[in-house]
Every structure is written in C-alpha cells, then in structure tokens.
Amino acid sequence: MILTKRLQLLPCTLQHFELLLQGNDALANQLGITISDNWIEYPEVILVTYDKLRNDPSLLGWFFYMVIHRENKELIGAGGFKGRPNSEGVVEIAYDISPDYREQGYGTETAKALINFAFGHNYVTSVIAHTEEEYNSSVKTLQKVGMSFVGAFTNKENEELWEWRITRDIFESQQQHQQQF
C-alpha cells in the first residue's frame, strides 16, 4: 500500500479483482468504501489485468493499484505500473482518475506517489509514461512531477504517442532541492 496526504494506493490482489468481476458492490463491501460509477475509464481492462496477474502473481506491487480517496473512503481511480522494471531498470507508470475528481491534483498526487515508490527500489534507474500526442492535462501532470519529454513514437497498435521520463539523478536532485525549502 502507498499512502499520500489524501490518497491510498492499494495494490489490487487476485481477490480484489475477483470481487470487481462480481460487481462494484462486492468490492465496496469488502473494503468498506464506496465506488465512483466512473472510477475507471476503460472497465474492460479489469479482466485483462486480472488474467495477467493470475498468470504472473509476482507482478503484485508492480502492477495495478486502486486509488482510494482517504477522507471520502471512495475508489476514485486506478494507477500503477505496466509491469516490473526491465533489465535496464526502467518502469512505466499509468494512472486514471474519475472525472468527478479531476482538476484537483489527484492525478499529480498519484503519479508522484508511483514515482516515489519506484525510486524507493535502488535498481530502478528511470520512470517513463506515455501520453497521447497532444498538450493535455496528462502532459501537465507529468511535467508537474518532474518528467521531461523524450520524443514521439508509434506503438504496436499504430498509435502516435509521446514518451516522458524522469531519471533517478533528476529525481534525487529534485528531492534535495525540495528539502532545502
């Protein structure tokens, strides 16, 4: 579990996924929370991520997190990693916050928490993220957390995307700078 000032990022276990597949109420009752109707933009990802974790349980912690608003006790989004760091120590983050909770800094708080978690492991050298090829709120969020534009590329689905990155050196430099103030 990752805690921030306003959020709890709870790793989604196989049991959590199984409850979600039964419906939001099953998970809400188990965790003692409410679940925003549109907490995840693409609900079809639940079955895909469940299968992926079931086939490789070692992904837990480096995979899918539920973003829970601590004060409201409400599931408001998802985030996490697209898998364990690769052999070069690079890991990719992703996140999605419910439209009802956007424009309030929760995406930034989630991205920052994931980056902090990643760099808490000494073998992580860089954290990357991908966005659509346009200047939008996701781009602003990644810039706020210290990520820099790397370049454009075409993914396997033939989509044009932008890549963003923060290296351990830049992260540590930012941490030192923040401690000075």
Side-chain angles (χ1 to χ4, degrees):
M1 176 180 2
I2 302 169
L3 292 175
T4 70
K5 183 178 178 182
R6 302 179 296 169
L7 303 173
Q8 174 186 7
L9 279 64
L10 184 63
C12 199
T13 64
L14 288 174
Q15 179 189 17
H16 294 138
F17 277 119
E18 289 161 0
L19 290 168
L20 273 171
L21 292 171
Q22 294 173 32
N24 287 351
D25 289 345
L27 180 67
N29 291 336
Q30 176 72 29
L31 296 178
I33 61 172
T34 59
I35 298 181
S36 175
D37 288 336
N38 50 3
W39 73 276
I40 189 165
E41 188 170 352
Y42 302 104
E44 61 274 10
V45 79
I46 298 297
L47 185 56
V48 173
T49 51
Y50 169 67
D51 283 340
K52 195 169 181 177
L53 183 61
R54 194 176 55 177
N55 290 326
D56 185 359
S58 72
L59 284 173
L60 190 64
W62 288 108
F63 201 44
F64 192 93
Y65 282 78
M66 297 175 287
V67 178
I68 300 170
H69 190 283
R70 292 173 65 179
E71 185 178 332
N72 297 354
K73 295 186 183 335
E74 182 175 0
L75 180 57
I76 65 165
F81 304 94
K82 293 201 174 175
R84 289 180 298 281
N86 68 18
S87 60
E88 287 85 39
V90 179
V91 67
E92 183 177 349
I93 63 168
Y95 54 90
D96 179 29
I97 301 298
S98 165
D100 298 340
Y101 283 87
R102 290 182 185 161
E103 304 294 326
Q104 299 174 56
Y106 295 112
T108 301
E109 199 168 326
T110 300
K112 190 175 285 196
L114 293 169
I115 290 168
N116 288 341
F117 175 86
F119 284 125
H121 298 81
N122 62 3
Y123 50 88
V124 173
T125 59
S126 294
V127 177
I128 63 170
H130 296 129
T131 64
E132 294 176 351
E133 196 178 44
E134 64 182 64
Y135 191 77
N136 57 26
S137 60
S138 292
V139 167
K140 293 176 194 172
T141 295
L142 296 176
Q143 290 173 328
K144 283 182 199 170
V145 299
M147 297 184 98
S148 298
F149 178 71
V150 175
F153 72 100
T154 304
N155 69 4
K156 292 181 266 185
E157 290 80 33
N158 210 29
E159 300 168 312
E160 297 292 323
L161 298 174
W162 284 346
E163 182 167 301
W164 300 84
R165 176 181 305 263
I166 184 169
T167 63
R168 176 175 291 282
D169 290 343
I170 291 171
F171 173 79
E172 289 174 352
S173 172
Q174 289 174 353
Q175 296 298 102
Q176 289 174 349
H177 180 74
Q178 288 173 359
Q179 289 175 355
Q180 292 174 357
F181 295 98

